[in-house]
Amino acid sequence: MAQTIAALSTAPGGAIGIVRISGEQAEEYLSALFTPTGGRPLVPRMLTYGTLSVHGQVIDRPMAVYFPAPATYTGEPMAEIHCHGSSAVLEETLRALFALGARQAQQGEFTKRAFLNGKMDLFEAEAVNDLVCAQSAQAAALATAQLGGHISTEFSEMREKLVAMCAQFLAVIDYPDEEIEDLPLTEMRQTLEQMRTRLTTLCTSYERGRALREGLPCAIVGRPNAGKSTLLNALLGYDRAIVTDIAGTTRDTVEETLRLGGLILRLQDTAGLRETEDPVEQIGVSRAKDAVTLAKETGVVLAVFDGSQPLGEDDRLVIEQVRDAKRAVAVVNKSDLLTQMDLEELQGCFAQVVQLSAKQRDGLDRLIDTLMELTGIRDLPQDGGLITNLRQAEALSHTAESLEQACRQLGAGFSPDVIVYEIEQAIDCLGRVTGAHVQEDIIDYIFANFCVGK
C-alpha cells in the first residue's frame, strides 16, 4: 500500500492556500485536524466550513472536502483543506499531517499516482504539466484539449488495430496447416499507410508545439545604428535598451520576453555586426553571432537594415550570417526617411521583407503578422493535435518509421514473421507515448519536472 502523501498545491503568498492529501488515510488525517461547524459529519465531495486545530489549538477556520476513491484525481482517497494563505497556517497544517503519518509529496507525485492508477495515460499526464506551465491562453487551450483525451484515444485505436494485425499474421505463422482466411494485405497496407501519414503529421507539429509551450529565441541582428535597440523597445512598448546615435552603444545582448497572442518570443538585442579592433566590442560581436546561431536553428532571426542607407559591407556580413536560417525576416527600418536601399537585393536573400519605422512605431503590425504567419501559431488544431515535447516526437517518429518499413515489406511480399516484427516495433514505440511500454526511470524523470503539489 502506498503511503499517504500531502503537499501544498497552490503557490505561496496567495489569499487561499490548498493543502492536498492522497492515500488510504486521507479521510482519517483530515478528520483528526478538521471539525465541521455544528458537529455535522463530513459529506463526501461537499466543501464544508469548520475549524482547523493543531495540538488542541484552533489555527484557522477553513473549508475542507473529502473525495472517496476511486473517482478522484489520483484514483485514491483524497482530501483538501482550503486555508487562508498564511504561510504559518499552511506550514503548521503540513507538520501536523506529517506527525500523523503522512509523507511530503514528491514533485509530480499526485499526477504520477493518477497515471499509475489508470486515471490518465502518460500523454495526458504530460499535458497536466503543460497546463500548469502554460504562458499563453493558446498554450493552455492546447494542454486542456490534450488532457481531454482525444489524441490519446486516437493512439489507443491505432494500437488496437496494430495488435489485431499481429494476431492475424501470427495465426498464419503458428497454424500453417489450418484453413485460415486469407490476409487482406491491400487493406492492411492502406491502414498502415494512413497511420504513418497521421503520425508523421503529428511529428512535424513538434516545432509549433514547442514554440507554443516554451517560446522561440528571436535574435535581433544588424550592423551598428541600424535600429535594433529601437526595434526591441518598439516591440516591447517601453524603453528597455539604451538608444543613441553612437555606433557600438550595445555591447552585450539584452534579453526580454515578448508575448504576441499565442506567440512567445525570447528577444535578444545584440551588438552591431561589423569588423572591429575594439576588444570589448569584439566580445559583443561574438555573442551576437552565438545568438544568431541558436535562433537560426530553433527560432527566429530579425535582420535589421537601415533603409535610409545603401547596402554596405557590414549589411552583407549580416546577410551572410543569417543566410541559412529556418525563419528569417529582413526588417528594413527607418521608413520615415527617404529609402536608399536596394530592396530587390534583399528580397533575393530573404523570403520575408518588412518595411517599418521602429522610431515612429509605424509598420509594427505588418512585422507581427509576418511573425505569426512564419511560426504557424495562428492555425492551431482544436483537438490538441500538436506534439509539445521531444520525447513524444521521437517516439512517434520511430513508430512512423516502423510502419513505413512494414508497408514496404507488405508490398514486396515478405514473409509474415518479418512484417510482424516491424508492427510489434510500432506497437512498442506507440506505447512509449501513452506509457503502456515505458521504463520506470523515464517515468520518474518525467514527473520530476512537475511542481510539488501536482
Side-chain angles (χ1 to χ4, degrees):
M1 180 188 300
Q3 187 177 1
T4 297
I5 56 175
L8 178 65
S9 64
T10 49
I16 300 295
I18 300 176
V19 174
R20 176 181 270 184
I21 311 165
S22 181
E24 293 300 323
Q25 286 78 36
E27 183 179 18
E28 174 189 338
Y29 293 167
L30 175 63
S31 298
L33 301 179
F34 178 79
T35 304
T37 299
R40 295 171 297 175
L42 274 171
V43 178
R45 308 187 187 285
M46 180 178 292
L47 202 60
T48 304
Y49 178 66
T51 58
L52 182 66
S53 302
V54 176
H55 304 307
Q57 181 179 3
V58 176
I59 62 169
D60 197 7
R61 298 184 181 277
M63 305 286 282
V65 60
Y66 168 69
F67 304 97
T72 67
Y73 180 74
T74 63
E76 304 171 336
M78 291 187 68
E80 290 180 351
I81 306 174
H82 296 229
C83 304
H84 290 91
S86 163
S87 59
V89 169
L90 296 170
E91 288 171 8
E92 282 299 310
T93 302
L94 285 172
R95 284 197 192 98
L97 287 168
F98 299 153
L100 288 168
R103 171 175 62 76
Q104 169 68 52
Q106 299 171 355
Q107 287 179 252
E109 190 168 2
F110 289 97
T111 306
K112 183 179 180 180
R113 290 190 176 196
F115 164 67
L116 294 174
N117 290 326
K119 303 301 291 186
M120 61 180 69
D121 65 23
L122 199 55
F123 186 83
E124 293 167 328
E126 288 178 300
V128 172
N129 197 37
D130 285 353
L131 183 57
V132 172
C133 300
Q135 301 181 62
S136 67
Q138 287 84 347
L142 172 63
T144 301
Q146 291 177 339
L147 189 55
H150 178 82
I151 299 299
S152 290
T153 299
E154 187 176 358
F155 291 153
S156 296
E157 291 173 350
M158 286 185 185
R159 186 174 183 276
E160 288 175 5
K161 289 179 181 178
L162 292 175
V163 169
M165 284 187 192
C166 277
Q168 278 195 283
F169 277 114
L170 289 173
V172 172
I173 295 171
D174 294 339
Y175 305 100
D177 297 329
E178 298 292 332
E179 294 183 1
I180 299 175
E181 183 179 350
D182 289 341
L183 296 172
L185 299 183
T186 302
E187 181 182 332
M188 285 184 173
R189 188 177 178 184
Q190 289 176 346
T191 300
L192 292 176
E193 181 60 33
Q194 289 172 357
M195 289 185 191
R196 187 201 64 79
T197 301
R198 172 58 172 159
L199 294 176
T200 300
T201 300
L202 287 172
C203 288
T204 57
S205 74
Y206 169 59
E207 290 265 346
R208 284 195 298 159
R210 185 182 62 174
L212 195 65
R213 181 176 182 265
E214 302 173 4
L216 290 173
C218 178
I220 304 176
V221 297
R223 68 171 178 79
N225 274 2
K228 301 181 299 299
S229 296
T230 305
L231 178 60
L232 173 75
N233 293 340
L235 287 170
L236 293 175
Y238 66 93
D239 292 339
R240 170 63 178 86
I242 298 173
V243 177
T244 73
D245 293 331
I246 303 172
T249 297
T250 301
R251 296 295 185 98
D252 201 353
T253 56
V254 177
E255 300 183 12
E256 284 292 335
T257 298
L258 175 67
R259 289 176 175 80
L260 300 172
L263 177 62
I264 302 170
L265 294 177
R266 302 195 300 275
L267 298 176
Q268 286 187 301
D269 179 23
T270 62
L273 290 178
R274 67 172 175 177
E275 299 296 334
T276 177
E277 298 299 324
D278 185 329
V280 177
E281 190 174 358
Q282 285 177 349
I283 295 173
V285 170
S286 177
R287 291 184 177 181
K289 291 179 179 178
D290 289 342
V292 171
T293 299
L294 176 63
K296 281 199 305 184
E297 296 174 356
T298 63
V300 179
V301 177
L302 298 181
V304 183
F305 300 90
D306 181 351
S308 67
Q309 301 291 330
L311 280 171
E313 289 305 312
D314 290 339
D315 292 315
R316 291 187 172 85
L317 174 62
V318 173
I319 293 172
E320 185 61 31
Q321 284 290 319
V322 305
R323 184 175 298 278
D324 56 345
K326 289 183 179 180
R327 306 181 189 91
V329 180
V331 179
V332 182
N333 191 25
K334 305 185 183 181
S335 63
D336 51 313
L337 303 177
L338 181 63
T339 299
Q340 299 289 330
M341 183 164 287
D342 183 357
L343 297 182
E344 289 188 2
E345 183 175 350
L346 274 185
Q347 289 167 348
C349 301
F350 293 87
Q352 305 287 346
V353 178
V354 177
Q355 284 187 276
L356 55 77
S357 170
K359 183 178 180 180
Q360 302 295 330
R361 301 190 177 182
D362 179 36
L364 287 179
D365 289 345
R366 290 193 295 274
L367 176 59
I368 292 171
D369 285 342
T370 299
L371 290 171
M372 299 291 276
E373 180 181 351
L374 197 62
T375 55
I377 292 298
R378 281 200 175 121
D379 302 320
L380 296 177
Q382 299 300 308
D383 63 354
L386 281 185
I387 300 304
T388 58
N389 71 57
L390 185 59
R391 186 196 72 82
Q392 297 170 355
E394 288 182 341
L396 292 177
S397 177
H398 292 152
T399 307
E401 289 171 5
S402 293
L403 293 178
E404 182 176 11
Q405 188 66 15
C407 285
R408 289 175 180 169
Q409 293 166 352
L410 275 168
F414 276 67
S415 61
D417 58 322
V418 178
I419 300 168
V420 164
Y421 173 79
E422 292 298 339
I423 295 178
E424 286 178 339
Q425 291 297 304
I427 293 171
D428 182 70
C429 292
L430 197 56
R432 295 177 205 169
V433 180
T434 61
H437 302 128
V438 66
Q439 297 174 343
E440 186 176 349
D441 58 339
I442 295 177
I443 293 173
D444 291 341
Y445 174 79
I446 290 171
F447 289 104
N449 292 319
F450 282 57
C451 59
V452 174
K454 197 65 182 174

